[in-house]
Amino acid sequence: MKLGLVGPAESVSQIERIITQNFPYIQLFPLVYETYRDSADLVRRRQAGLDSLLFSGPTPFKYASRFVVPAIPWDFIPREKASLLTVLTEASALHHYDIAKISIDSVDYGALMETFQEIGLPEATLQIQVAEEKIFDDDYSGYLAEFHKQAFRNDKVSFCITGMSDVQKALTDEQIPCFKMKRMPDVIKNIVTKLKLKHELRINQKNQIVVLAVEVDPPGENTLVAHDDYQMAVNKMRASEQIYLFARKIQAAVIELSLGNYLLFTLRKILETETSQMSHFDFIYSSSRRTDSTFSVGIGFGKTAVEAKSGACLGKDRAQKCGGNRIFVVDEGEKIIGPISFLNKEDQPENDPDGLIANIAAKSGLGKKTVYKLFSLIQQYNLDVVTPAALAGLYGVTPRSINRILVLLEQCGYAKVVGVKTPTDSGRPSRLIKLLF
């Protein structure tokens, strides 16, 4: 596994040492920054060549997450109570500071109070100054340093605790006692183990068997082909030729159930690679130019070939009910995604005469294909307002992924929240989003 370590030099060095000792077969790639605000650009440039990313703490993780959509598993080393207890013990036992009078940042207030309760200090006896989290401000580190300085110089605290290396350096340079929260080796090992398992799961998913159920749709009642058995058979044969060409491209085994009705067995990794993450099915494009045929396609993923086949047939049935050239994906027999809006060669984002797609992509930091696919969904389904969950289903990604995309679009004015949809059951309300393309 290729693991990128994101953080300041000192933190990355410490994390690297612990991982090397306990996971000798993991390849480590230090991604060192001067300030956490560099983490987004660093991750955007480097994540494509890695399998996972580990951030030195929650601050760079939260900052990068706002501007970059993860393409691989990400995680960060949390500020655990054990870390805080270690710092408090060191400050009290070795330096004789009053641990009931501190200023602190980068920690959850609830977890902080629980820690003091565990060591027998009730909240009423504490004089704790907790800094606000303002990681998206222009000079968050400067704000934290000034916060701690004022608290110490006004004799409100005995010492300071921070989660930021540059803040600690700024304070110690001015002879202000400051401790940095420590990273516990066991916590690091647990996080790396979790990332390792996620990586292995991704590998297994890529090698997962996938089944495509493909059927040439019957012609419409008002078409000439519908009343000409010979031409109907010719059309089906031409369409079948395109399916076999596509099967060769994705290295699929083909079972012909009847003329124009097929099952294709291949691997998920190959299918996703050859179809640009299932956005371009060239047999549909090619056939539409050579014949009047349309296709109903179901794609099934499953833990077994039987489950994948069942899902593919379910997806195909759903596609047939929606009309021609529809694709539905069924994951492990339950989750149904679709219909997929696929891109034809003539519809690629490069064909953008008004520059709208390129402009949105440049301002938001999203890829052109991502923006184009959203644009296509708006046109295809005549979307005015939509919930993130519904948009995720149409796009074919998780709600978490679509929310990251929407955040970027909101920041540059191409999406806005226009209302709230309240569910009929006891579920959580959903935002109503308007895409301003």
Side-chain angles (χ1 to χ4, degrees):
M1 181 175 77
K2 296 179 180 179
L3 175 61
L5 304 178
V6 185
E10 180 186 353
S11 300
V12 167
S13 178
Q14 177 199 3
I15 297 167
E16 188 175 14
R17 185 168 58 254
I18 293 171
I19 296 176
T20 301
Q21 291 172 352
N22 294 277
F23 303 90
Y25 299 108
I26 292 180
Q27 292 179 266
L28 300 178
F29 295 82
L31 307 182
V32 176
Y33 58 68
E34 292 292 329
T35 168
Y36 73 91
R37 296 177 69 85
D38 297 331
S39 61
D41 287 337
L42 194 61
V43 166
R44 186 181 290 112
R45 286 187 284 106
R46 297 292 301 277
Q47 73 168 334
L50 301 170
D51 298 314
S52 302
L53 281 176
L54 176 60
F55 292 78
S56 60
T59 300
F61 175 84
K62 291 177 182 178
Y63 188 83
S65 296
R66 181 165 181 173
F67 300 104
V68 183
V69 178
I72 55 177
W74 293 11
D75 212 330
F76 65 91
I77 300 170
R79 313 289 188 200
E80 301 242 332
K81 288 191 291 183
S83 174
L84 181 56
L85 277 171
T86 301
V87 172
L88 293 173
T89 301
E90 179 183 346
S92 176
L94 299 181
H95 302 279
H96 307 292
Y97 291 123
D98 183 358
I99 62 173
K101 292 177 60 180
I102 64 170
S103 61
I104 189 168
D105 63 62
S106 307
V107 69
D108 176 71
Y109 185 80
L112 180 63
M113 291 300 105
E114 287 179 11
T115 302
F116 279 108
Q117 287 176 6
E118 289 179 8
I119 60 179
L121 290 176
E123 187 172 352
T125 66
L126 303 176
Q127 297 181 45
I128 309 296
Q129 307 292 317
V130 182
E132 291 183 58
E133 187 178 78
K134 301 179 179 181
I135 64 174
F136 299 107
D137 285 5
D138 289 339
D139 188 16
Y140 179 52
S141 296
Y143 155 74
L144 290 181
E146 189 61 29
F147 170 84
H148 290 297
K149 287 178 189 178
Q150 292 301 319
F152 181 77
R153 288 170 177 167
N154 293 331
D155 200 30
K156 293 181 179 179
V157 301
S158 175
F159 66 99
C160 313
I161 301 175
T162 182
M164 308 276 286
S165 297
D166 52 352
V167 174
Q168 183 191 31
K169 183 178 185 306
L171 296 175
T172 54
D173 284 349
E174 298 193 28
Q175 309 302 312
I176 297 175
C178 180
F179 296 83
K180 186 170 181 293
M181 295 239 275
K182 302 183 184 299
R183 296 173 184 83
M184 310 306 291
D186 285 345
V187 174
I188 295 175
K189 287 189 284 186
N190 288 340
I191 297 296
V192 173
T193 298
K194 186 166 69 171
L195 283 172
K196 188 169 175 286
L197 291 173
K198 286 183 179 180
H199 172 60
E200 291 171 354
L201 179 61
R202 280 166 61 89
I203 292 175
N204 290 337
Q205 285 180 334
K206 288 179 179 179
N207 293 326
Q208 181 182 29
I209 291 178
V210 57
V211 179
L212 289 80
V214 183
E215 186 167 350
V216 181
D217 297 317
E221 292 182 4
N222 297 323
T223 62
L224 294 174
V225 177
H227 306 287
D228 187 332
D229 290 342
Y230 171 76
Q231 191 59 47
M232 190 184 302
V234 169
N235 265 9
K236 280 195 173 184
M237 285 189 289
R238 288 175 178 170
S240 297
E241 179 184 3
Q242 298 304 316
I243 293 173
Y244 273 100
L245 288 172
F246 176 71
R248 181 189 297 174
K249 182 178 179 180
I250 63 171
Q251 303 175 44
V254 182
I255 297 177
E256 184 173 354
L257 303 177
S258 60
L259 182 61
N261 190 8
Y262 303 89
L263 290 176
L264 282 62
F265 293 77
T266 186
L267 296 179
R268 182 172 191 156
K269 178 180 181 180
I270 298 174
L271 178 66
E272 291 179 343
T273 299
E274 295 295 340
T275 61
S276 300
Q277 303 300 312
M278 293 191 289
S279 66
H280 178 64
F281 290 79
D282 54 7
F283 72 90
I284 294 179
Y285 169 74
S286 300
S287 185
S288 66
R289 300 193 63 179
R290 292 174 171 82
T291 73
D292 295 326
S293 298
T294 61
F295 298 88
S296 292
V297 183
I299 302 175
F301 300 111
K303 296 174 183 176
T304 65
V306 172
E307 187 177 57
K309 176 189 170 186
S310 176
C313 293
L314 175 61
K316 186 187 72 173
D317 291 343
R318 179 71 65 89
Q320 287 174 327
K321 293 176 182 177
C322 293
N325 286 354
R326 294 290 188 271
I327 301 174
F328 281 83
V329 178
V330 181
D331 193 1
E332 296 190 358
E334 297 179 356
K335 184 179 179 182
I336 300 178
I337 302 170
I340 291 177
S341 175
F342 45 84
L343 301 178
N344 292 335
K345 290 181 180 178
E346 293 178 348
D347 298 328
Q348 292 295 327
E350 287 74 11
N351 185 23
D352 182 21
D354 298 326
L356 174 65
I357 304 301
N359 190 40
I360 295 174
K363 289 184 177 179
S364 66
L366 294 168
K368 287 184 180 180
K369 288 187 178 180
T370 299
V371 176
Y372 183 81
K373 189 166 183 178
L374 287 171
F375 181 79
S376 298
L377 291 174
I378 294 172
Q379 303 298 314
Q380 181 177 352
Y381 296 102
N382 194 26
L383 295 179
D384 182 26
V385 295
V386 64
T387 65
L391 185 59
L394 294 173
Y395 193 102
V397 296
T398 64
R400 181 178 180 183
S401 295
I402 208 70
N403 276 320
R404 293 186 190 281
I405 294 172
L406 290 173
V407 165
L408 295 175
L409 291 173
E410 283 184 68
Q411 289 171 353
C412 52
Y414 291 108
K416 67 178 181 179
V417 179
V418 296
V420 176
K421 181 179 180 181
T422 304
T424 55
D425 56 15
S426 59
R428 297 173 60 185
S430 299
R431 296 174 298 155
L432 287 173
I433 305 291
K434 186 176 182 68
L435 296 173
L436 305 173
F437 287 13

